[in-house]
Amino acid sequence: MKVLLVCVYQALAVAAWTSSTLSYPSHAPATPVFTASRAFPTSAFSSMYFMPRKQEAIPRPVVTDVDGKPFPDRLNNPASMPSSAPKDSGVLPAPQASASSVSPAQIHHEVSSTIRNTSMSSCSRCKKALRLGQSLAQSQPHKVPGLLIQLCKEFQYKQFGRNPDVNRTCELSYTTGGQGGVFTQVLSYADLSDESTDADYLCAQFFYGFCPMPEPAVLSEDFLNDWFDRQRTPPAHVKARSKDVGPSSHKNIQVLWTSDIHVDGRYAVGAEAECSYRYCCRSNSFNTSTFDAHGYLTGNQTVPPQNISTSSPYWGYEGCDAPWSLVASAFEAMQHLGGESGFDLALYTGDLVAHAQTWEESRDLVRYSESGLYDMMRHYLGNTTVVAAIGNHDSSPTEHAAPHALPDDRGRQFSWDWGYVSKLWQKEGWLNDSQAQTVRTHYGGYSLQPLPGLRVISFNTDFWYRGNSFAFIHTSNPDYSGTLRWVTDELQRAEDANERVWIVGHVLPGWDGYSSMDRPTNLFYQIVTRYQHTIAHMFFAHSHEDTLSVFYANSNGNSSSASTETSRAVGISLFSPSVTPLTNMNPGIRVLEVDPQTYEIMDYHQYYTPLQDVQNKTSTDTGLVWYHLYSARETYGNFSAAEKAGNYSAPVTLDHGQWPSWAPLNASFWASVSDEMLARPELASMFHARWVLCSWEGVWE
Ligand SMILES: *[C@@H]1O[C@H](CO)[C@@H](O)[C@H](O)[C@H]1NC(C)=O
Ligand SMILES: *[C@@H]1O[C@H](CO)[C@@H](O)[C@H](O)[C@H]1NC(C)=O
Ligand SMILES: *[C@@H]1O[C@H](CO)[C@@H](O)[C@H](O)[C@H]1NC(C)=O
Ligand SMILES: *[C@@H]1O[C@H](CO)[C@@H](O)[C@H](O)[C@H]1NC(C)=O
Ligand SMILES: *[C@@H]1O[C@H](CO)[C@@H](O)[C@H](O)[C@H]1NC(C)=O
Ligand SMILES: *[C@@H]1O[C@H](CO)[C@@H](O)[C@H](O)[C@H]1NC(C)=O
Ligand SMILES: *[C@@H]1O[C@H](CO)[C@@H](O)[C@H](O)[C@H]1NC(C)=O
Ligand SMILES: *[C@@H]1O[C@H](CO)[C@@H](O)[C@H](O)[C@H]1NC(C)=O
Ligand SMILES: *[C@@H]1O[C@H](CO)[C@@H](O)[C@H](O)[C@H]1NC(C)=O
Ligand SMILES: *[C@@H]1O[C@H](CO)[C@@H](O)[C@H](O)[C@H]1NC(C)=O
Ligand SMILES: *[C@@H]1O[C@H](CO)[C@@H](O)[C@H](O)[C@H]1NC(C)=O
Ligand SMILES: *[C@@H]1O[C@H](CO)[C@@H](O)[C@H](O)[C@H]1NC(C)=O
């Protein structure tokens, strides 16, 4: 096993430096390429609710919905932090006629005593409590949110320890419109019998370790034969045929790739930036060492300036989501990087909405962020088609998506969102009628041909995301939502039509359990292996970090069942750095250079803006300065040390130790980068190698 891959299994390789570190990399002086305007670009919006005179506050643009109606200023304004649950009604399961009636008080009593009964294992207690909850959820679903609030307070739910007042957090979180309605559905619809793994996954992943994780499932031969319609390996003619599917040209096409903007309209200049409880840079953030609020600040209560430990600056702050000032600067930089002719294509790999407490989010906030940011993309990128993916935050209740198969029409509870984005993307000119219809029927996913011979398949990854409670229903089926079936069918169509495919999604797959459920991940690996000749590239995000994943052939089962020999590398997924600096990242923007015939990536350029330069300033003379940080080929394309050690094994003859200029930066390239890192450890440390998924604390999902 290669050292670099040990902790993240074979799924993830290589390093993150670049935009993910707040200090300049000393070995590679970054080159300034663009200084954004100091002034806020009010002309990008129809009008402004508020325009500060200097940099004493963040401008507040008027964002209009897809029908042209303005969202009200109070929706997303630093001075109006919500202190109660959103008015969205929420969704409960329908009561089941066959369910026998139970007494809510009796269920509460039994659940409490079960949780306290230490003569049972924690796993048995968890499962028994879930089954008791299920009896109530199926007979009197409207009683469950209240019960959840009571239990949450009684047991001081430990996840809420990061909030100033656990009891209040319980009350605000488990409303029917928030987590309460969602959990009630999961309790009602999950298969909690011993034959199913739903209770195991819920108790292992959802309730943090009450049960051991179920063994990773190996997909059976029968299942895979059916899944791939008996064609388990790529047909010989597909393997043999040329990858040139696009028009011949000597000029690479330029593709913009951004992700994870997380615009925070409630970002308040001068608010507490180093706060004790999430989330910072808002009027209700405080640091207990300088201000003890003894609970939540509500309504218009704010922290006096002398009680702020670190004041939020105008351009944004590491640890906070992106204010409009930063977002506008990023769009100006993107426009500049596109040059006169603009980009040939743009990818947006999801997450527009700010991180916030669940009760601070709402359907309107999601629509506001979608309209505001996709309209900005249209404004700054002109006629360039943007292919976007739904992120886990682009939803309300946040993190969620429900499979169509839920009974009583509950499978349509997120249709308001898919319907909204389909209309919006169509308005921006990125989709036609039939593609918009696909967005509505495939949870926001769609498939299109933006360039001749290239098919881009964007799909909703919430169904393998463990933050989505609905993903715990019918876990033995690796594709209960049908999403991967649809992706597979699109891949088959592309293979038949001799198209090359880009896969676009938000939440990265992986076996580590950090983000994704193992069964859908496993199935996705089979799909990637089967369509390795058709898939030219995969694009995911979510981690906010500049990292990537190499897929190796035939890894059916678990992390250790795959061989990570470079010769077995079949697929490559890059993960995009974020625009939001929330996780101590500098905002990043990436530009891909793509071969117009094969749609393979020949190089990419990473740009970023070092926020620390403006962090301590109350006002700046210019806007943010954006730098070119590195070219992937230039930085990683030297394999001479691995070659010398006899460990270079990609099927490409090197050109004096270098990856030849004609060869793409494909899976073989990136697998070789890890071979080179073994032979030249300073390469790894130089790039601040960071085992993202190993050190991740799971705080910022
Ligand atoms: C605790 O669990 C054990 C084992 O299932 C059971 O025998 C006992 O009655 C339970 N005690 C209470 C107070 O529920
Ligand atoms: C929280 O709620 C529990 C259960 O209702 C109660 O016993 C406890 O006193 C409350 N804690 C605080 C700090 O109010
Ligand atoms: C609160 O402020 C103190 C003093 O400035 C600082 O040391 C500490 O890191 C801050 N706490 C948090 C959680 O940021
Ligand atoms: C605010 O700071 C002052 C000292 O500057 C301190 O006396 C006061 O207790 C602080 N307020 C709170 C609520 O902590
Ligand atoms: C704060 O809100 C309360 C009640 O909503 C209101 O009566 C009061 O005038 C407000 N104070 C300020 C300073 O706006
Ligand atoms: C954008 O598309 C419109 C409509 O097809 C066209 O009129 C316009 O010239 C295009 N703009 C640019 C900059 O290519
Ligand atoms: C939408 O575009 C696709 C090609 O990208 C085409 O096959 C389809 O017929 C178009 N649908 C409509 C309704 O125009
Ligand atoms: C992982 O897969 C390998 C080979 O298929 C198997 O031997 C091993 O028991 C599996 N490990 C786990 C934890 O399932
Ligand atoms: C990567 O590109 C090289 C050069 O075209 C090719 O030989 C190799 O098979 C490719 N690797 C994969 C995994 O497609
Ligand atoms: C910003 O101020 C903090 C606290 O005063 C200091 O620790 C930090 O070094 C300063 N950063 C820069 C880039 O000047
Ligand atoms: C490639 O790396 C080796 C060290 O392993 C170094 O000696 C050589 O100069 C590098 N080649 C280029 C073109 O940078
Ligand atoms: C060469 O590869 C082997 C097997 O992965 C590894 O054990 C060894 O450390 C590598 N040697 C160098 C110099 O990279």
Side-chain angles (χ1 to χ4, degrees):
M1 175 70 86
K2 292 171 187 172
V3 173
L4 292 170
L5 307 178
V6 168
C7 67
V8 283
Y9 308 130
Q10 94 277 27
L12 290 149
V14 223
W17 58 304
T18 73
S19 50
S20 64
T21 134
L22 275 171
S23 52
Y24 287 113
S26 51
H27 60 282
T31 321
V33 291
F34 177 66
T35 301
S37 148
R38 179 182 185 282
F40 188 77
T42 52
S43 61
F45 302 91
S46 58
S47 57
M48 300 293 297
Y49 278 124
F50 172 70
M51 190 56 211
R53 281 182 307 121
K54 296 194 201 128
Q55 295 179 345
E56 75 277 13
I58 303 294
R60 291 202 305 280
V62 175
V63 171
T64 52
D65 72 12
V66 67
D67 299 315
K69 185 166 163 265
F71 289 95
D73 192 26
R74 67 174 181 282
L75 175 68
N76 208 11
N77 173 329
S80 62
M81 293 301 299
S83 49
S84 60
K87 298 199 174 42
D88 304 337
S89 50
V91 178
L92 288 170
Q96 295 183 13
S98 59
S100 47
S101 183
V102 292
S103 142
Q106 181 64 22
I107 293 292
H108 180 186
H109 173 77
E110 286 182 40
V111 170
S112 285
S113 60
T114 299
I115 296 174
R116 289 182 208 283
N117 187 345
T118 47
S119 62
M120 292 161 79
S121 73
S122 63
C123 186
S124 312
R125 283 185 274 158
C126 178
K127 287 183 177 183
K128 188 175 173 198
L130 287 180
R131 285 169 191 149
L132 286 162
Q134 181 168 65
S135 64
L136 189 62
Q138 292 182 341
S139 59
Q140 295 160 81
H142 62 285
K143 294 285 190 193
V144 175
L147 172 62
L148 291 171
I149 291 171
Q150 284 179 321
L151 292 168
C152 175
K153 289 180 178 179
E154 201 173 317
F155 292 96
Q156 295 287 292
Y157 185 45
K158 80 165 191 250
Q159 278 303 104
F160 291 162
R162 297 196 302 259
N163 291 290
D165 176 344
V166 174
N167 283 5
R168 180 91 182 112
T169 310
C170 296
E171 286 162 14
L172 290 166
S173 300
Y174 290 111
T175 57
T176 303
Q179 307 281 13
V182 169
F183 286 1
T184 309
Q185 292 184 69
V186 174
L187 279 175
S188 180
Y189 299 137
D191 178 354
L192 302 178
S193 69
D194 284 330
E195 286 72 50
S196 161
T197 48
D198 289 4
D200 296 276
Y201 277 105
L202 279 163
C203 293
Q205 283 209 320
F206 207 83
F207 294 109
Y208 304 96
F210 278 98
C211 292
M213 273 292 276
E215 287 290 297
V218 173
L219 297 168
S220 74
E221 290 300 299
D222 283 352
F223 175 89
L224 291 171
N225 281 332
D226 282 354
W227 188 270
F228 294 112
D229 201 16
R230 283 172 220 284
Q231 178 74 56
R232 293 281 299 279
T233 53
H237 77 275
V238 169
K239 284 190 205 169
R241 74 188 172 196
S242 159
K243 291 188 162 50
D244 292 350
V245 296
S248 89
S249 159
H250 293 299
K251 204 166 157 277
N252 285 337
I253 56 177
Q254 307 284 316
V255 178
L256 172 71
W257 182 17
T258 51
S259 202
D260 294 83
I261 294 178
H262 293 284
V263 62
D264 188 7
R266 293 170 178 141
Y267 184 104
V269 174
E272 181 59 75
E274 294 282 344
C275 68
S276 303
Y277 304 102
R278 59 186 187 177
Y279 296 88
C280 306
C281 301
R282 303 214 176 116
S283 63
N284 61 357
S285 316
F286 58 89
N287 179 323
T288 50
S289 72
T290 51
F291 185 84
D292 205 351
H294 301 290
Y296 285 100
L297 293 181
T298 54
N300 52 18
Q301 270 183 287
T302 52
V303 182
Q306 72 269 20
N307 291 72
I308 301 276
S309 82
T310 305
S311 181
S312 321
Y314 178 76
W315 293 106
Y317 193 77
E318 74 218 52
C320 300
D321 270 329
W324 276 111
S325 49
L326 167 57
V327 171
S329 173
F331 277 109
E332 288 172 339
M334 290 176 216
Q335 188 180 47
H336 172 84
L337 294 170
E340 289 276 294
S341 49
F343 293 102
D344 297 289
L345 184 64
L347 304 179
Y348 187 76
T349 37
D351 272 8
L352 308 160
V353 185
H355 296 78
Q357 303 287 2
T358 49
W359 59 91
E360 294 168 347
E361 312 266 21
S362 62
R363 291 183 180 187
D364 269 346
L365 192 69
V366 172
R367 286 185 279 242
Y368 166 95
S369 309
E370 289 169 341
S371 274
L373 295 175
Y374 289 128
D375 283 357
M376 269 186 116
M377 288 181 209
R378 180 73 182 84
H379 180 88
Y380 281 99
L381 303 178
N383 288 352
T384 300
T385 298
V386 177
V387 182
I390 296 282
N392 56 304
H393 282 277
D394 307 329
S395 184
S396 177
T398 187
E399 322 260 53
H400 289 97
H404 291 318
L406 293 188
D408 304 316
D409 219 25
R410 298 311 194 258
R412 289 159 52 86
Q413 63 191 285
F414 291 89
S415 296
W416 61 269
D417 199 10
W418 324 142
Y420 192 80
V421 286
S422 73
K423 212 167 150 183
L424 190 56
W425 291 337
Q426 202 168 1
K427 184 197 89 173
E428 314 295 7
W430 304 334
L431 300 183
N432 69 19
D433 282 345
S434 48
Q435 291 148 351
Q437 180 55 36
T438 311
V439 170
R440 288 189 289 275
T441 45
H442 291 283
Y443 313 104
Y446 58 110
S447 161
L448 84 171
Q449 279 172 293
L451 296 165
L454 174 67
R455 177 163 296 278
V456 185
I457 304 172
S458 163
F459 72 107
N460 188 333
T461 51
D462 281 349
F463 295 104
W464 66 37
Y465 182 43
R466 70 172 200 168
N468 174 16
S469 323
F470 291 105
F472 293 84
I473 298 174
H474 296 298
T475 47
S476 52
N477 182 342
D479 187 38
Y480 187 56
S481 70
T483 303
L484 294 177
R485 178 71 263 157
W486 172 74
V487 169
T488 307
D489 292 345
E490 286 300 314
L491 280 163
Q492 185 59 51
R493 278 180 31 173
E495 181 181 284
D496 294 344
N498 192 19
E499 294 166 332
R500 300 227 70 201
V501 168
W502 285 2
I503 298 274
V504 171
H506 176 71
V507 177
L508 62 171
W511 267 301
D512 60 301
Y514 142 73
S515 275
S516 316
M517 312 280 289
D518 62 298
R519 292 176 192 214
T521 287
N522 195 16
L523 176 54
F524 186 66
Y525 271 69
Q526 308 308 308
I527 296 169
V528 171
T529 303
R530 164 65 184 82
Y531 293 99
Q532 58 184 277
H533 300 279
T534 301
I535 298 170
H537 228 285
M538 292 176 275
F539 303 87
F540 292 100
H542 186 66
S543 69
H544 297 187
E545 307 208 6
D546 181 350
T547 174
L548 57 92
S549 198
V550 178
F551 290 63
Y552 296 87
N554 297 329
S555 14
N556 182 1
N558 62 53
S559 51
S560 50
S561 56
S563 152
T564 56
E565 284 158 41
T566 293
S567 60
R568 297 173 67 86
V570 293
I572 174 68
S573 166
L574 301 179
F575 306 140
S576 172
S578 58
V579 170
T580 180
L582 179 85
T583 44
N584 292 342
M585 304 294 145
N586 280 312
I589 298 172
R590 183 171 290 186
V591 177
L592 312 169
E593 278 186 39
V594 175
D595 182 310
Q597 283 189 277
T598 60
Y599 295 107
E600 284 175 337
I601 294 182
M602 302 308 288
D603 199 2
Y604 70 74
H605 297 275
Q606 185 61 47
Y607 298 89
Y608 84 125
T609 184
L611 265 190
Q612 75 272 24
D613 282 5
V614 291
Q615 209 143 267
N616 289 353
K617 297 187 175 156
T618 48
S619 154
T620 59
D621 297 334
T622 69
L624 292 172
V625 183
W626 293 81
Y627 292 80
H628 179 257
L629 192 55
Y630 73 103
S631 127
R633 182 180 287 273
E634 217 176 275
T635 312
Y636 296 97
N638 182 350
F639 299 117
S640 48
E643 189 180 41
K644 204 167 146 207
N647 271 358
Y648 171 78
S649 56
V652 171
T653 306
L654 295 177
D655 177 3
H656 298 96
Q658 305 280 311
W659 192 252
S661 58
W662 59 266
L665 308 191
N666 62 10
S668 307
F669 173 88
W670 290 106
S672 301
V673 171
S674 65
D675 293 325
E676 178 71 8
M677 284 183 173
L678 272 183
R680 188 157 50 105
E682 67 274 21
L683 183 65
S685 49
M686 176 169 94
F687 301 148
H688 294 196
R690 224 186 233 212
W691 315 124
V692 182
L693 301 190
C694 296
S695 58
W696 191 265
E697 289 166 48
V699 175
W700 309 107
E701 291 167 347

